[in-house]
Amino acid sequence: PLRKGVELVHADLAAVLERGGVEAYDPAGEAFDPSFHEALAKHAVEGAESGTVIETVERGYRIDGQVIRPARVVVAE
């Protein structure tokens, strides 16, 4: 019951934010851009181009294209 209650509250909060124009974004696979991403670490990964986001630790949020919280990411070396 507790888990279901938390899930319902989360869904309601997400709906309110969406109606307000807040959008979550996941930049995995994109080129690193410090305007939209906060790099937490760099790792060497075979097959990944240097400067590419290889993992999203926390999604970012923006409203009308303006970043209100950058995505926290791991970047390929």
Side-chain angles (χ1 to χ4, degrees), residues 48-60:
E49 187 176 326
S50 179
T52 302
V53 175
I54 55 173
E55 180 184 349
T56 302
V57 177
E58 289 182 9
R59 292 184 300 175

Side-chain angles (χ1 to χ4, degrees), residues 29-32 42-55 74-77:
E30 297 177 6
F32 177 76
K42 288 179 83 173
H43 292 291
V45 176
E46 268 188 54
E49 187 176 326
S50 179
T52 302
V53 175
I54 55 173
E55 180 184 349
V74 177
V75 181
E77 260 186 315

Side-chain angles (χ1 to χ4, degrees), residues 3-76:
R3 180 180 176 155
K4 186 168 184 122
V6 171
E7 289 172 350
L8 289 171
V9 170
H10 179 264
D12 285 346
L13 178 59
V16 167
L17 291 173
E18 187 176 318
R19 284 194 305 269
V22 175
E23 143 189 45
Y25 64 97
D26 181 355
E30 297 177 6
F32 177 76
D33 182 347
S35 301
F36 299 104
H37 314 129
E38 178 183 343
L40 299 178
K42 288 179 83 173
H43 292 291
V45 176
E46 268 188 54
E49 187 176 326
S50 179
T52 302
V53 175
I54 55 173
E55 180 184 349
T56 302
V57 177
E58 289 182 9
R59 292 184 300 175
Y61 293 90
R62 57 185 160 217
I63 187 167
D64 297 326
Q66 183 178 2
V67 175
I68 55 178
R69 186 181 90 183
R72 294 180 167 184
V73 299
V74 177
V75 181

